[in-house]
Amino acid sequence: MSTSPIRRETTVADVAAVAKVSKAQAARALGGYGAVSSDVRSRVLKVAEQLGYHPNMLARSMNTGRSHTIGVVVGDIQNPYFSLAMRAISDTAQPAGYDVLLINTGEDVKAEQEAVRVLQDKRVDGYIIAPVLSDDNAHLRAVVDSGRPLVLLDRAVDGLEVDVIATASEQASFEAAQLLLEQGHERIAYISTLKARSDRYGSEKTLGSTPVAQRLGGMRRAFKEAGKEFPASLVRLNAGTDESIHEIVQELLAPPFGATAIMASDSVIALSALEEIANAGLTIPADLSFVMFDDLPWTRLLTPPLTVVSQPVYELGVAVATTLIHRMRGEQFSAEFDFHAQLIRRGSVAAPPHAETIIKRNSVSV
Amino acid sequence: MSTSPIRRETTVADVAAVAKVSKAQAARALGGYGAVSSDVRSRVLKVAEQLGYHPNMLARSMNTGRSHTIGVVVGDIQNPYFSLAMRAISDTAQPAGYDVLLINTGEDVKAEQEAVRVLQDKRVDGYIIAPVLSDDNAHLRAVVDSGRPLVLLDRAVDGLEVDVIATASEQASFEAAQLLLEQGHERIAYISTLKARSDRYGSEKTLGSTPVAQRLGGMRRAFKEAGKEFPASLVRLNAGTDESIHEIVQELLAPPFGATAIMASDSVIALSALEEIANAGLTIPADLSFVMFDDLPWTRLLTPPLTVVSQPVYELGVAVATTLIHRMRGEQFSAEFDFHAQLIRRGSVAAPPHAETIIKRNSVSV
DNA sequence: TTGAAAGCGCTAACAA
DNA sequence: TTGTTAGCGCTTTCAA
């Protein structure tokens, strides 16, 4: 072996010595700052190349105070919503010279607090967080107090004045509920992973300005306009696991509740719910109507294709990264992003089984 | 404001001063190493708490040489295969005290080289890489030479003796091809994103020990056992974009090639291909049989449900992280992982349109 | 168990 | 343009 396996990495000092210049000059040439004559620069660079010099970013960061790393905290990187956003963040941050330290919390608040802690210790230059809870913010406040920029993805947090990049979904949700109401549905269920103190949704309870709150707001408005009462008992939160979703769906479909339509808050929930619906032997949309949030490619391949509410997830990711980058650079930045969800009508919504008026109308037209 | 926005972070020295102990003792107490009396420790810890002390990991890493960070390089984090593996890596690394620096290469070799460079500079303790190419390894060799452990995910690289965690897929692929052959298919196409010099597959060309090579090997074996010639002209590589996949599918379906069955190398390809197949007005499995690699939840929801080759992706991720962690700790480790893909027969494979013998058999039994 | 002092590899004053 | 000298915040000798 020509190179010993355990060898010290070459440093600026090594390069400087061989190139016969001062450590400072070598550092300047290597770091690309300060004033260096082209003669010295080329000599230093050549020696560095020969010696296989690689700058130690840890040392550099310690001096400059910038790590050129951003911390991203999400609930579940496996969820297509987040992996797409992550892709966008990565695509945007990389060309700007930032790398991404990714922490997955499994939608657990304690893990999120821990994540923030780690990122602070590692001195990331900025944070992108999709917070689990909207009303527990001590750890997020600590980030803000640290003076490093934080941009929230998807959900705002009560009393925290930071940039929030999210999708306006009240209107799309309104339209979805309206569509269902027009078809004769009244018992419309909504299932979400959103963490809440209770699994049930009380209208009095504030869900903050989370997307879920917006969506329920849109639904309420549709019910109000239709002169019907919003079935708050059909809203289910904390739908974290496959099992819990299966249970929820069973319960919603059974007598006391008897949902005739289900709106799934994201694709992960939808997949579990659809599985359970199939298990129950129900056919969409004849027995049950279905709407899912997020427009994934496979929704078009189902029979019938799913009616969905699409969100500009990639664009959201780009926006959140762009905003953060501007903040980290200390630049003025006040772009107004206007992302809104959009209802895409496909085939999974129809009249409920026993809505006589609708069925009558259908039988006439068919 | 009680706290000035621009303030220096509290350091060990600050804590030491207030606690009236030496910097060294404070550091020992805070860092949890060396010998510290319980009296000093508690005093130091209390002061640290009051002052809101947070260790500067950059400084610590510089001294210890360990950053407690692992670098993960993948082609496309948006691909469910990688996002699931990533989830597994994160779930495994976190409890072991490692964070993840994620770099997405977009399946571009230059980006991969750059990624490795960045990770080296940031002094990650170990690397998990799903290499784009199997025969271009200078940058990977540099990693090995640096003395920090590298574990390859999914694909081996020629001449690089490092741990490789991958799925054995020759047999499952053999069975898939066999299933198709039994049904009367001979013009079986295979579409992959694998980067190759040519889009076409020449049997003489070595694909290294990539999963694709294994899969094609399995298919060849099935053809050989059936006494048929393997249609190498129906193997398509470099299927990177939606457009290219659409084109490939169109071409494969048209006269010169006339594929009667398609095997999609991953879910991203499958989605594009299925879309194009639907556009072409073809019905699966009546007009065309279809097999996809990776068993995603939605494949069960299609009509017909897709016949797939499932891979233990999460387990793969856990294994790759576990292996790396052992290596980083310098522990002896030689667990034999035995991951193999598995054919799951569902409904997307049937006899090709004009296979008289099969059709005859069907019409008897139905 | 404690403390003083050196040093990790780099950047940042300051002089020359 | 160059070099000298201090640090950055921590760990790590080495003595005491």
Side-chain angles (χ1 to χ4, degrees):
Chain A
M1 293 295 151
S2 59
T3 56
S4 133
I6 311 157
R7 75 168 184 294
R8 211 176 48 85
E9 318 235 17
T10 28
T11 70
V12 205
D14 300 330
V15 176
V18 177
K20 300 209 187 308
V21 293
S22 73
K23 212 177 64 176
Q25 276 311 83
R28 289 194 256 257
L30 262 10
Y33 60 92
V36 186
S37 67
S38 64
D39 176 42
V40 168
R41 187 189 349 270
S42 64
R43 206 167 57 212
V44 168
L45 260 30
K46 194 171 136 214
V47 172
E49 169 77 44
Q50 289 167 349
L51 265 45
Y53 169 80
H54 285 274
N56 183 329
M57 288 308 190
L58 296 176
R60 179 173 293 176
S61 296
M62 231 181 82
N63 285 283
T64 61
R66 326 247 113 253
S67 61
H68 289 280
T69 302
I70 69 184
V72 176
V73 181
V74 300
D76 179 12
I77 187 61
Q78 191 195 339
N79 183 322
Y81 180 93
F82 287 122
S83 60
L84 180 51
M86 186 63 211
R87 170 77 203 239
I89 291 168
S90 175
D91 286 354
T92 310
Q94 219 157 294
Y98 290 94
D99 299 300
V100 172
L101 207 41
L102 172 67
I103 304 193
N104 198 87
T105 65
E107 296 287 354
D108 177 62
V109 197
K110 286 217 53 150
E112 183 177 298
Q113 292 164 345
E114 182 61 27
V116 165
R117 191 48 180 289
V118 167
L119 294 174
Q120 287 188 117
D121 293 355
K122 293 206 170 174
R123 298 296 190 270
V124 297
D125 292 346
Y127 303 77
I128 293 176
I129 302 182
V132 174
L133 254 36
S134 61
D135 60 353
D136 184 352
N137 60 19
H139 58 303
L140 298 180
R141 185 160 298 286
V143 169
V144 175
D145 287 347
S146 77
R148 315 229 160 180
L150 159 65
V151 179
L152 261 25
L153 171 60
D154 197 50
R155 309 173 199 166
V157 166
D158 301 340
L160 207 65
E161 288 183 16
V162 295
D163 295 299
V164 179
I165 306 291
T167 309
S169 53
E170 202 271 353
Q171 178 62 23
S173 186
F174 166 80
E175 290 171 17
Q178 197 177 44
L179 174 66
L180 289 165
L181 284 161
E182 282 169 4
Q183 292 287 324
H185 292 276
E186 289 186 29
R187 309 212 54 75
I188 304 173
Y190 183 90
I191 310 177
S192 167
T193 38
L194 187 80
K195 295 275 179 179
R197 312 245 179 285
S198 159
D199 288 358
R200 299 303 181 79
Y201 164 72
S203 55
E204 76 293 337
K205 184 200 311 156
T206 172
L207 253 32
S209 37
T210 55
V212 172
Q214 274 190 46
R215 294 173 185 179
L216 291 174
M219 291 173 69
R220 293 194 100 90
R221 180 157 67 90
F223 272 85
K224 195 171 175 188
E225 285 199 7
K228 314 272 186 184
E229 195 189 348
F230 179 71
S233 66
L234 298 183
V235 175
R236 296 306 158 84
L237 309 176
N238 297 325
T241 65
D242 244 32
E243 296 74 44
S244 70
I245 297 169
H246 284 180
E247 275 177 35
I248 287 171
V249 170
Q250 282 175 25
E251 195 182 305
L252 287 171
L253 260 24
F257 301 108
T260 61
I262 290 181
M263 293 178 66
S265 187
D266 69 41
S267 69
V268 176
I269 292 182
L271 250 4
S272 275
L274 289 170
E275 190 183 32
E276 186 59 30
I277 290 165
N279 285 345
L282 298 179
T283 302
I284 291 173
D287 303 320
L288 185 74
S289 286
F290 197 89
V291 176
M292 143 176 161
F293 281 80
D294 287 338
D295 181 23
L296 297 185
W298 55 262
T299 58
R300 281 185 289 267
L301 298 175
L302 298 192
T303 312
L306 254 38
T307 291
V308 301
V309 175
S310 92
Q311 308 186 81
V313 184
Y314 189 89
E315 289 74 10
L316 224 56
V318 170
V320 77
T322 303
T323 304
L324 184 67
I325 289 166
H326 281 280
R327 296 271 181 259
M328 290 187 298
R329 290 180 175 161
E331 299 165 356
Q332 282 296 352
F333 186 70
S334 55
E336 292 295 314
F337 292 109
D338 181 27
F339 296 117
H340 52 276
Q342 198 183 345
L343 176 66
I344 299 180
R345 294 153 205 255
R346 293 206 274 247
S348 59
V349 170
H354 299 300
E356 284 84 357
T357 54
I358 305 294
I359 285 171
K360 208 179 297 166
R361 201 162 67 208
N362 273 356
S363 57
V364 169
S365 66
V366 169
Chain B
M1 294 294 150
S2 59
T3 55
S4 135
I6 312 157
R7 74 165 184 294
R8 212 176 48 85
E9 318 234 18
T10 21
T11 69
V12 203
D14 300 330
V15 176
V18 176
K20 302 208 186 307
V21 293
S22 74
K23 212 177 63 174
Q25 277 311 83
R28 289 194 256 256
L30 262 10
Y33 58 92
V36 186
S37 66
S38 65
D39 176 44
V40 168
R41 185 188 351 269
S42 65
R43 207 166 59 215
V44 167
L45 260 30
K46 194 172 133 212
V47 172
E49 169 77 45
Q50 289 168 348
L51 266 45
Y53 168 80
H54 284 275
N56 184 328
M57 288 308 191
L58 296 175
R60 181 173 291 176
S61 295
M62 229 181 83
N63 284 286
T64 61
R66 326 246 113 250
S67 61
H68 289 278
T69 302
I70 69 183
V72 176
V73 182
V74 301
D76 179 13
I77 187 60
Q78 192 195 338
N79 184 322
Y81 180 93
F82 287 122
S83 61
L84 180 51
M86 186 63 211
R87 170 78 204 237
I89 291 169
S90 174
D91 286 354
T92 310
Q94 218 156 295
Y98 290 94
D99 300 300
V100 172
L101 207 41
L102 172 67
I103 304 192
N104 198 86
T105 64
E107 296 287 354
D108 176 63
V109 198
K110 287 217 52 152
E112 183 177 298
Q113 291 164 345
E114 181 60 27
V116 165
R117 190 51 179 286
V118 167
L119 294 174
Q120 286 188 118
D121 293 356
K122 293 207 169 172
R123 298 295 189 270
V124 297
D125 292 346
Y127 303 77
I128 292 175
I129 302 182
V132 174
L133 253 38
S134 61
D135 59 351
D136 183 353
N137 61 19
H139 58 302
L140 298 180
R141 185 161 299 286
V143 169
V144 174
D145 287 346
S146 78
R148 315 228 160 182
L150 159 64
V151 179
L152 261 24
L153 171 60
D154 197 51
R155 310 174 198 166
V157 166
D158 302 340
L160 207 65
E161 288 184 15
V162 295
D163 295 299
V164 179
I165 307 291
T167 309
S169 53
E170 202 270 352
Q171 178 62 23
S173 186
F174 166 79
E175 290 171 17
Q178 196 178 43
L179 173 67
L180 288 165
L181 284 161
E182 283 169 5
Q183 292 287 324
H185 293 274
E186 289 186 28
R187 309 211 54 75
I188 304 173
Y190 183 91
I191 311 178
S192 167
T193 39
L194 187 80
K195 295 274 178 180
R197 312 245 179 284
S198 158
D199 288 358
R200 299 303 181 78
Y201 165 71
S203 56
E204 77 292 339
K205 182 201 312 157
T206 172
L207 253 30
S209 36
T210 56
V212 172
Q214 274 190 45
R215 295 173 184 177
L216 292 172
M219 291 172 69
R220 296 193 97 92
R221 180 158 66 91
F223 273 85
K224 195 171 176 190
E225 284 199 7
K228 315 271 187 184
E229 194 188 349
F230 179 71
S233 66
L234 298 184
V235 174
R236 296 306 159 84
L237 310 175
N238 296 325
T241 65
D242 245 31
E243 296 74 44
S244 69
I245 297 168
H246 285 179
E247 274 177 35
I248 287 171
V249 170
Q250 282 175 25
E251 195 183 305
L252 286 171
L253 259 25
F257 302 107
T260 61
I262 290 181
M263 293 178 66
S265 186
D266 68 41
S267 69
V268 176
I269 292 182
L271 250 4
S272 275
L274 289 171
E275 189 183 33
E276 186 58 30
I277 289 165
N279 285 346
L282 298 179
T283 303
I284 290 173
D287 303 321
L288 185 73
S289 285
F290 197 89
V291 175
M292 144 177 161
F293 281 81
D294 287 338
D295 181 23
L296 296 184
W298 56 262
T299 58
R300 280 185 290 268
L301 297 176
L302 299 192
T303 313
L306 254 40
T307 291
V308 301
V309 174
S310 93
Q311 307 187 80
V313 184
Y314 189 89
E315 290 73 12
L316 225 55
V318 170
V320 76
T322 303
T323 304
L324 185 67
I325 289 165
H326 281 280
R327 295 272 181 258
M328 288 188 298
R329 290 179 174 160
E331 298 165 356
Q332 282 295 353
F333 186 69
S334 56
E336 291 294 314
F337 292 109
D338 181 27
F339 296 117
H340 52 276
Q342 197 184 343
L343 176 66
I344 299 180
R345 295 153 205 255
R346 294 205 274 245
S348 60
V349 170
H354 299 301
E356 286 83 358
T357 52
I358 305 292
I359 285 172
K360 207 179 299 167
R361 201 161 65 208
N362 273 354
S363 58
V364 170
S365 66
V366 171

Tab-separated table of all heavy atoms in Angstrom, chain B residues 12 23 53 60 63, chain D residues 9-13:
chain	number	residue	atom	x	y	z
B	12	VAL	N	-18.815	27.124	26.979
B	12	VAL	CA	-18.328	26.438	28.171
B	12	VAL	C	-17.661	27.436	29.100
B	12	VAL	O	-17.801	27.362	30.322
B	12	VAL	CB	-17.261	25.383	27.813
B	12	VAL	CG1	-17.179	24.336	28.892
B	12	VAL	CG2	-17.560	24.763	26.477
B	23	LYS	N	-12.501	25.974	33.028
B	23	LYS	CA	-13.131	25.688	31.756
B	23	LYS	C	-13.116	24.181	31.510
B	23	LYS	O	-14.106	23.605	31.042
B	23	LYS	CB	-12.348	26.408	30.646
B	23	LYS	CG	-13.183	26.847	29.481
B	23	LYS	CD	-12.348	27.616	28.453
B	23	LYS	CE	-11.254	26.761	27.831
B	23	LYS	NZ	-10.544	27.478	26.727
B	53	TYR	N	-27.272	27.142	27.925
B	53	TYR	CA	-26.101	26.666	27.177
B	53	TYR	C	-26.456	25.538	26.211
B	53	TYR	O	-27.203	24.629	26.561
B	53	TYR	CB	-25.034	26.172	28.151
B	53	TYR	CG	-23.925	25.411	27.470
B	53	TYR	CD1	-22.895	26.086	26.827
B	53	TYR	CD2	-23.927	24.018	27.453
B	53	TYR	CE1	-21.887	25.390	26.179
B	53	TYR	CE2	-22.926	23.312	26.805
B	53	TYR	CZ	-21.904	24.003	26.170
B	53	TYR	OH	-20.933	23.313	25.527
B	60	ARG	N	-17.044	20.574	18.870
B	60	ARG	CA	-16.826	19.231	19.411
B	60	ARG	C	-16.335	18.285	18.324
B	60	ARG	O	-15.378	17.529	18.517
B	60	ARG	CB	-18.125	18.713	20.031
B	60	ARG	CG	-17.997	17.343	20.639
B	60	ARG	CD	-19.239	16.938	21.396
B	60	ARG	NE	-19.417	17.740	22.603
B	60	ARG	CZ	-20.476	17.634	23.405
B	60	ARG	NH1	-21.447	16.782	23.119
B	60	ARG	NH2	-20.574	18.367	24.490
B	63	ASN	N	-12.725	18.555	17.288
B	63	ASN	CA	-11.771	17.930	18.201
B	63	ASN	C	-11.801	16.421	18.141
B	63	ASN	O	-10.768	15.767	18.094
B	63	ASN	CB	-12.073	18.359	19.634
B	63	ASN	CG	-11.620	19.766	19.890
B	63	ASN	OD1	-10.439	20.019	20.019
B	63	ASN	ND2	-12.557	20.673	19.927
D	9	DG	P	-17.219	31.222	20.425
D	9	DG	OP1	-18.612	31.613	20.195
D	9	DG	OP2	-16.356	31.968	21.353
D	9	DG	O5'	-17.189	29.691	20.870
D	9	DG	C5'	-17.954	28.733	20.147
D	9	DG	C4'	-17.503	27.350	20.557
D	9	DG	O4'	-16.116	27.205	20.230
D	9	DG	C3'	-17.611	27.078	22.062
D	9	DG	O3'	-18.280	25.850	22.235
D	9	DG	C2'	-16.168	27.015	22.528
D	9	DG	C1'	-15.473	26.528	21.276
D	9	DG	N9	-14.066	26.859	21.206
D	9	DG	C8	-13.440	27.981	21.721
D	9	DG	N7	-12.145	27.994	21.489
D	9	DG	C5	-11.907	26.824	20.776
D	9	DG	C6	-10.705	26.295	20.263
D	9	DG	O6	-9.560	26.784	20.318
D	9	DG	N1	-10.902	25.082	19.609
D	9	DG	C2	-12.112	24.461	19.478
D	9	DG	N2	-12.118	23.303	18.825
D	9	DG	N3	-13.251	24.941	19.961
D	9	DG	C4	-13.085	26.113	20.591
D	10	DC	P	-18.665	25.249	23.609
D	10	DC	OP1	-20.044	24.771	23.541
D	10	DC	OP2	-18.246	26.187	24.661
D	10	DC	O5'	-17.681	23.997	23.677
D	10	DC	C5'	-17.920	22.894	22.852
D	10	DC	C4'	-16.615	22.240	22.450
D	10	DC	O4'	-15.609	23.247	22.265
D	10	DC	C3'	-15.994	21.313	23.488
D	10	DC	O3'	-16.553	20.014	23.324
D	10	DC	C2'	-14.531	21.313	23.093
D	10	DC	C1'	-14.356	22.602	22.316
D	10	DC	N1	-13.368	23.537	22.904
D	10	DC	C2	-12.024	23.361	22.612
D	10	DC	O2	-11.690	22.408	21.903
D	10	DC	N3	-11.112	24.216	23.119
D	10	DC	C4	-11.508	25.236	23.887
D	10	DC	N4	-10.565	26.078	24.349
D	10	DC	C5	-12.879	25.437	24.214
D	10	DC	C6	-13.774	24.567	23.717
D	11	DT	P	-16.311	18.919	24.441
D	11	DT	OP1	-17.249	17.819	24.160
D	11	DT	OP2	-16.274	19.582	25.760
D	11	DT	O5'	-14.823	18.427	24.101
D	11	DT	C5'	-14.597	17.732	22.883
D	11	DT	C4'	-13.122	17.408	22.756
D	11	DT	O4'	-12.327	18.602	22.971
D	11	DT	C3'	-12.598	16.368	23.744
D	11	DT	O3'	-11.717	15.529	23.014
D	11	DT	C2'	-11.861	17.201	24.774
D	11	DT	C1'	-11.302	18.316	23.901
D	11	DT	N1	-10.983	19.608	24.573
D	11	DT	C2	-9.698	20.093	24.488
D	11	DT	O2	-8.796	19.532	23.918
D	11	DT	N3	-9.502	21.303	25.122
D	11	DT	C4	-10.451	22.052	25.809
D	11	DT	O4	-10.152	23.121	26.316
D	11	DT	C5	-11.763	21.468	25.851
D	11	DT	C7	-12.862	22.197	26.570
D	11	DT	C6	-11.978	20.284	25.250
D	12	DT	P	-11.319	14.110	23.583
D	12	DT	OP1	-11.560	13.112	22.530
D	12	DT	OP2	-11.928	13.947	24.909
D	12	DT	O5'	-9.754	14.277	23.782
D	12	DT	C5'	-9.078	15.338	23.102
D	12	DT	C4'	-7.676	15.501	23.648
D	12	DT	O4'	-7.580	16.800	24.303
D	12	DT	C3'	-7.229	14.485	24.691
D	12	DT	O3'	-5.868	14.199	24.464
D	12	DT	C2'	-7.441	15.212	26.014
D	12	DT	C1'	-7.074	16.648	25.607
D	12	DT	N1	-7.702	17.701	26.447
D	12	DT	C2	-6.979	18.849	26.733
D	12	DT	O2	-5.842	19.036	26.349
D	12	DT	N3	-7.637	19.775	27.495
D	12	DT	C4	-8.931	19.671	27.999
D	12	DT	O4	-9.413	20.568	28.663
D	12	DT	C5	-9.618	18.445	27.652
D	12	DT	C7	-11.006	18.221	28.151
D	12	DT	C6	-8.982	17.525	26.916
D	13	DT	P	-5.153	12.853	24.946
D	13	DT	OP1	-3.895	12.730	24.185
D	13	DT	OP2	-6.161	11.808	24.958
D	13	DT	O5'	-4.812	13.175	26.472
D	13	DT	C5'	-3.505	12.964	26.948
D	13	DT	C4'	-2.570	14.074	26.497
D	13	DT	O4'	-3.271	15.341	26.523
D	13	DT	C3'	-1.406	14.172	27.452
D	13	DT	O3'	-0.169	14.205	26.753
D	13	DT	C2'	-1.633	15.454	28.241
D	13	DT	C1'	-2.668	16.231	27.440
D	13	DT	N1	-3.738	16.770	28.332
D	13	DT	C2	-3.551	18.002	28.904
D	13	DT	O2	-2.541	18.667	28.752
D	13	DT	N3	-4.596	18.436	29.683
D	13	DT	C4	-5.784	17.784	29.936
D	13	DT	O4	-6.652	18.285	30.653
D	13	DT	C5	-5.907	16.505	29.306
D	13	DT	C7	-7.141	15.698	29.508
D	13	DT	C6	-4.896	16.057	28.553
